[in-house]
Amino acid sequence: MEGAQLPGDATSADIRPRFFAGFPVSSWAFALRVLLAMLLALYVSFWLELESPTSAAITVAILALPTRAQGMEKAGYRLLATVIGVIASIAIAGTFSQTGALLPAVLGIWVGLCVYVAGMLDGNRAYAAALSCITVALIAIQQIDSPLQVFPTGVARGAAIAIGVLAVALVNEVLAAPDYHPVLAIRLETLHRRVTEFAERAVRGEASSATAAADMLRDVATLHPEIASLVTESISGPARTAAARSAMVGLVSELVLARTLAALPAASATSRDDRNPGASGLVTICRTHLRDEIIRRNAGVRDSLEALRAGDYPLRQWRAPLYRSPRIAAEAGVRAAIHFILIAIIFIMAGWPTTALCLSLVAVIIGLSATAPDPRAFTTLAVFAMPIACLLAGILKYLVFNGVSEFQLLAIGLAPLVIGAALLITLPSGILPPLGRLSLVFTLVILAPSNPQSYDPDVFLVTCLFAQLSSVLVFAAQLLLPSLSGERRIRLLLDDAHRELSRLDSGRARHLASEEAAFRDAARIEQILTANGATAPLPRVVAEALRCFDEAVVLRRCHAELDRLAETSLGEAVRAARAALTLRDGGAILTAAEALRRTAAQENLSIEPVLAALVPASIVFEPSQSFAGSGQGTHP
């Protein structure tokens, strides 16, 4: 059928994004939703005469995300964090309000604790931990001289945030904000094609690339924080979440099997091995089993992706456990606490009357930077965003509004700011999206929309001055006591990987299946590769990380398969295999595998899965071999 058009080609031009003024129409629709939600939140807050209408507008700015699921998940965590922050504010203010210098120390400890918890979580859960710190800053710190006002201030802030959340939900529902699962499905399908191509090359006996494998592990693990948002998208959200998680775990498992197959020696090499004639038969069994297993895993991933599209639960549900380093999180928390306490000491010694405002902004910047990959880079961005926000707020207050109080004029004046910032947020990458969001949030903080609007220039100038001073002091504190460097994080992550390897010697049953544990290790690979931001780590670092990953994978697989044979007549051979694994001796492992095969043949038992686990282990623990190499392994 020469010249025939493939299905979908006829509409390919129609599905291209349409642009207006340099931005896709979808970006303009998103900006319109943000503007309408913010105006609705402000109008309701003014109508109800809430004490903190600015919090409602800021909530909309923070929840400004392109899809329904992302916004609703973040909204839920924002409400939860507000409740936690209000409770903590009441407890701290009620207990330590009359303790003088002890109160800033307690607040610093709370900031450090929140940063630690944020470091142990990811995605919007980490944001909730950071927001618990920010809520205390905006309630307890700003009411530091009037502790009796903590409770009513917390209630007012909670009511304003609830109005902001409801405004976002209503506007997204009425204007049909797009779902997120189609975007996530496309990303997973793209990764599936890459992993499938990698596996096909392994089946053909072609060399495998360690860098390509590490990049795919990173790309799969990067999706972990985005999966949870599907729960809030629709009634089928939990099913889609389970399907997406199973697809991620399946992709890692398929990639591991492909790397294992690629590392096996060629059949011609094993047939010429005079030292161990049985090696050829073991490798042949291993190759056959691994090919079948790769086909099965590939089909499982495909089924999970189909379930994600259809909104059904997958046939096999895997957990996608989160990996975080307690040491890294603890060091980040301690540094954040010290940063806050140092700045608090400066403000107290200076005796400025606006100390509460400055300290609250300091805690806000520290808390938000805790959710960024590079806290110092975020603080640097905040230093640049703050004067931009002051300038925009001044233009709006004294040139656009200029003394008016009508809500209609407020809406007209805010429209260019909100739409412009929302358009920047939709850009795919670069410095402009975070700068646009920070500028919008900071502008609303400094502008502080209220009814009636305040136009006192002295108050405005002092607010701008100390807002910029707060960001500069946080930046200076991070220079004095730097955040963890990328090299330090990599070293801690690799040390943690080595410790986990040492704990795998016993072969005791773990609470995670080997597939789930492999995904958790892939998350550690992702953190190692992204520790220095856009700068790729050194090849030796990638090689060491993959070596730890490979050893952990084969040890778990071997112990899981040997556990299934522990109660059979092969008990003696199983114990010999375990002893060889403990010694990390590739030759002894291969000898134990051959003994298992002979004993199983006498007992007429099928143990191909065990052999397919032991043979790769013998290669991994051979002194000159590692899956991290870019080519095929030599004979075991």
Side-chain angles (χ1 to χ4, degrees):
M1 297 179 61
E2 187 176 357
Q5 200 172 41
L6 292 175
D9 286 352
T11 60
S12 60
D14 298 334
I15 62 176
R16 293 176 183 173
R18 302 179 185 275
F19 285 81
F20 175 73
F23 289 91
V25 173
S26 59
S27 297
W28 287 99
F30 166 69
L32 177 62
R33 292 197 302 271
V34 175
L35 176 62
L36 292 179
M38 187 171 296
L39 295 180
L40 176 61
L42 282 174
Y43 182 82
V44 174
S45 299
F46 291 160
W47 180 59
L48 294 176
E49 298 181 353
L50 294 183
E51 180 183 337
S52 180
T54 304
S55 296
I58 294 175
T59 297
V60 175
I62 291 175
L63 301 181
L65 294 166
T67 62
R68 185 204 319 264
Q70 293 171 305
M72 291 310 299
E73 187 208 15
K74 196 169 187 178
Y77 281 114
R78 182 166 175 79
L79 288 173
L80 174 63
T82 300
V83 173
I84 295 174
V86 169
I87 294 174
S89 298
I90 295 172
I92 292 173
T95 307
F96 301 98
S97 60
Q98 304 299 324
T99 58
L102 182 60
L103 179 57
V106 173
L107 291 172
I109 293 172
W110 175 257
V111 169
L113 178 62
C114 291
V115 170
Y116 168 77
V117 176
M120 293 299 295
L121 302 172
D122 68 343
N124 286 324
R125 295 185 297 172
Y127 164 76
L131 184 60
S132 298
C133 157
I134 295 170
T135 302
V136 171
L138 297 177
I139 297 177
I141 296 179
Q142 289 202 5
Q143 303 296 331
I144 196 170
D145 296 324
S146 52
L148 295 179
Q149 294 299 314
V150 168
F151 180 76
T153 300
V155 172
R157 174 173 167 79
I161 289 175
I163 288 174
V165 169
L166 292 175
V168 171
L170 178 62
V171 171
N172 283 344
E173 190 66 30
V174 172
L175 297 185
D179 291 332
Y180 187 54
H181 76 267
V183 177
L184 191 58
I186 291 174
R187 295 176 64 182
L188 285 170
E189 287 164 358
T190 301
L191 283 169
H192 185 212
R193 285 193 294 270
R194 290 170 58 190
V195 173
T196 301
E197 292 170 359
F198 187 92
E200 289 173 349
R201 290 194 295 271
V203 171
R204 292 195 298 266
E206 299 178 6
S208 63
S209 169
T211 302
D215 289 344
M216 283 185 280
L217 289 173
R218 177 200 61 203
D219 294 342
V220 173
T222 300
L223 296 178
H224 184 277
E226 303 180 32
I227 298 299
S229 64
L230 298 181
V231 174
T232 59
E233 187 170 78
S234 64
I235 194 172
S236 60
R240 286 196 167 98
T241 301
R245 285 174 176 160
S246 297
M248 288 194 305
V249 175
L251 285 172
V252 172
S253 298
E254 184 180 350
L255 182 60
V256 166
L257 292 169
R259 278 174 48 75
T260 304
L261 180 59
L264 291 177
S268 57
T270 56
S271 63
R272 295 193 301 267
D273 192 349
D274 297 330
R275 297 172 300 170
N276 193 346
S280 178
L282 287 174
V283 171
T284 300
I285 293 172
C286 184
R287 281 185 173 279
T288 302
H289 180 81
L290 287 176
R291 287 195 192 99
D292 295 341
E293 190 69 11
I294 288 173
I295 294 173
R296 187 176 70 84
R297 295 293 173 136
N298 191 277
V301 173
R302 191 165 49 248
D303 291 341
S304 295
L305 291 176
E306 291 175 358
L308 172 60
R309 290 283 193 183
D312 299 327
Y313 281 96
L315 296 177
R316 176 66 185 270
Q317 295 186 40
W318 294 107
R319 292 176 294 173
L322 173 68
Y323 170 80
R324 282 294 184 267
S325 169
R327 178 69 179 275
I328 292 176
E331 291 200 18
V334 170
R335 281 172 164 80
I338 294 175
H339 292 160
F340 181 87
I341 293 173
L342 286 177
I343 297 173
I345 292 174
I346 293 174
F347 283 142
I348 292 173
M349 293 177 62
W352 289 322
T354 53
T355 296
L357 171 64
C358 296
L359 279 181
S360 62
L361 288 175
V362 165
V364 168
I365 295 173
I366 292 176
L368 291 177
S369 66
T371 62
D374 187 348
R376 184 185 295 180
F378 177 89
T379 305
T380 303
L381 193 64
V383 170
F384 286 101
M386 196 67 78
I388 295 175
C390 292
L391 178 62
L392 293 174
I395 293 174
L396 284 175
K397 185 181 285 285
Y398 297 106
L399 295 181
V400 178
F401 300 150
N402 194 23
V404 301
S405 298
E406 291 79 2
F407 182 80
Q408 296 86 342
L409 297 177
L410 174 66
I412 295 173
L414 285 176
L417 167 68
V418 176
I419 292 176
L423 290 175
L424 292 180
I425 291 172
T426 61
L427 293 177
S429 60
I431 195 175
L432 290 179
L435 183 62
R437 188 181 297 277
L438 279 180
S439 298
L440 177 59
V441 172
F442 288 159
T443 301
L444 293 172
V445 170
I446 296 170
L447 180 64
S450 60
N451 188 20
Q453 184 71 33
S454 172
Y455 289 96
D456 189 337
D458 293 336
V459 173
F460 178 78
L461 289 176
V462 170
T463 301
C464 290
L465 173 63
F466 283 101
Q468 296 180 62
L469 179 62
S470 299
S471 61
V472 171
L473 286 177
V474 175
F475 180 76
Q478 291 179 348
L479 286 179
L480 181 64
L481 181 63
S483 302
L484 282 176
S485 65
E487 290 74 14
R488 172 67 174 166
R489 287 199 295 269
I490 289 174
R491 190 69 264 161
L492 291 175
L493 290 169
L494 290 176
D495 290 345
D496 196 16
H498 289 304
R499 283 192 296 270
E500 286 193 12
L501 276 175
S502 65
R503 292 196 292 267
L504 288 174
D505 283 333
S506 63
R508 290 177 297 179
R510 298 177 61 86
H511 66 285
L512 294 176
S514 58
E515 293 85 353
E516 296 169 343
F519 179 85
R520 183 177 178 273
D521 291 346
R524 179 161 45 215
I525 295 287
E526 181 263 335
Q527 293 176 38
I528 291 174
L529 294 185
T530 58
N532 285 316
T535 304
L538 296 174
R540 61 177 178 80
V541 171
V542 178
E544 184 179 358
L546 285 176
R547 181 179 63 80
C548 294
F549 177 81
D550 296 332
E551 291 183 4
V553 166
V554 297
L555 282 174
R556 291 192 188 98
R557 288 185 60 208
C558 287
H559 287 307
E561 296 297 340
L562 290 173
D563 286 344
R564 298 187 178 97
L565 299 179
E567 303 301 326
T568 66
S569 56
L570 305 178
E572 187 65 31
V574 167
R575 284 189 289 273
R578 289 193 188 279
L581 288 171
T582 302
L583 295 174
R584 303 285 207 273
D585 187 331
I589 294 172
L590 192 62
T591 301
E594 178 62 23
L596 265 174
R597 181 177 67 166
R598 292 175 181 172
T599 307
Q602 296 173 1
E603 300 289 338
N604 199 24
L605 296 175
S606 176
I607 58 168
E608 285 80 3
V610 180
L611 299 179
L614 290 174
V615 173
S618 70
I619 298 174
V620 168
F621 295 114
E622 194 71 23
S624 61
Q625 298 299 321
S626 171
F627 284 9
S630 59
Q632 287 209 333
T634 57
H635 60 80

